[in-house]
Amino acid sequence: MTDIPTLPILFVPDPRLRAKAKPVAATDPGSVRDLADRMLATMYAAPGIGLAAPQVGEMLRLVVIDLQKDEQRQPMVLVNPEIVAASREAATREEGCLSLPGQHADVTRPAVVKVRYLDLEGARREVEGEGLLSACLQHEIDHLDGVLFVDYLSALKRNMLLRRLAKDLKAKERA
C-alpha cells in the first residue's frame, strides 16, 4: 500500500466530523474502491485500526478496519454499514481516534454487535464482533452519524480532553 496516496485526516473541531454521512450509491463502484484503498493507506500510515470516510472529508457511509492480528493485514471494507443487533452486556475499553490524536479515554459500549454491510462487489454481508472488533465497529459507524467517542464521556472529562487536544494541536502548529 506504499504506492497509494494517503488522504489528510480531519481533526476536531472540523464540522464535517459532526455531520451525518450519506449512503454510498451503487452507481460508481470504481471510485468507492479507490477511496477505500486510499483510506486503508491513510489508516496504515497514521497508524490506526479503523477509519471512516468523514474523517478524510468524504461524507459517505464507508468504513475501513484492520485489527492486524498477529501483525498480518486483514483489511475489511464496509459500505453502508449498520448495527442490526447489540448485546445487553456492556464492555469498557480504552479508545482513541485519529481525529483526536493523542487523546484516549475509557468508553462503555455493547460487548457484542452484529453489523450488516455491503462489500466492494455489492454483496450483502454480516459480521459479528466482540472485544476489540466490537468496539472498533461501533466507533467507526458512530463517525458516520457525526458521533465521536468523547460523546460517551461525562461533560467534565470531555471538556478536559478537548482542551488538551486544542493545546496539543496549537503546539504542533507552532513547532
Side-chain angles (χ1 to χ4, degrees):
M1 298 224 102
T2 54
D3 57 334
I4 297 172
T6 61
L7 299 161
I9 296 172
L10 304 179
F11 300 129
V12 166
D14 191 299
R16 292 171 286 184
L17 294 170
R18 291 300 192 170
K20 194 169 175 83
K22 294 177 177 26
V24 174
T27 54
D28 195 0
S31 67
V32 172
R33 184 178 306 276
D34 180 58
L35 176 58
D37 287 345
R38 293 185 72 190
M39 286 173 59
L40 283 165
T42 301
M43 179 189 73
Y44 291 133
I49 60 170
L51 188 67
Q55 291 180 272
V56 293
E58 295 290 337
M59 301 315 296
L60 295 171
R61 297 187 76 78
L62 178 67
V63 165
V64 297
I65 292 174
D66 190 345
L67 302 184
Q68 300 180 51
K69 290 185 177 168
D70 305 319
E71 298 185 24
Q72 296 293 315
R73 287 189 174 170
Q74 298 175 334
M76 294 174 61
V77 177
L78 295 83
V79 178
N80 297 331
E82 60 179 324
I83 296 171
V84 294
S87 67
R88 290 179 190 239
E89 178 189 348
T92 301
R93 299 186 73 88
E94 184 180 68
E95 292 189 25
C97 181
L98 296 176
S99 292
L100 292 101
Q103 309 307 310
H104 299 87
D106 287 342
V107 177
T108 301
R109 301 179 179 273
V112 180
V113 293
K114 183 185 286 188
V115 173
R116 185 174 298 139
Y117 65 98
L118 300 175
D119 66 18
L120 286 172
E121 280 69 47
R124 184 180 297 270
R125 304 261 183 228
E126 282 189 357
V127 61
E128 190 168 297
E130 60 181 293
L132 182 58
L133 180 57
S134 174
C136 192
L137 286 164
Q138 292 174 78
H139 178 111
E140 298 309 330
I141 291 170
D142 273 353
H143 274 297
L144 304 180
D145 295 318
V147 176
L148 303 172
F149 82 91
V150 294
D151 297 335
Y152 292 92
L153 306 178
S154 69
L156 178 65
K157 283 185 183 176
R158 179 174 48 254
N159 290 336
M160 284 176 41
L161 193 143
L162 292 174
R163 276 196 302 274
R164 190 169 56 231
L165 173 65
K167 183 179 170 187
D168 291 352
L169 291 176
K170 274 188 182 160
K172 281 185 183 175
E173 283 177 16
R174 284 184 282 218

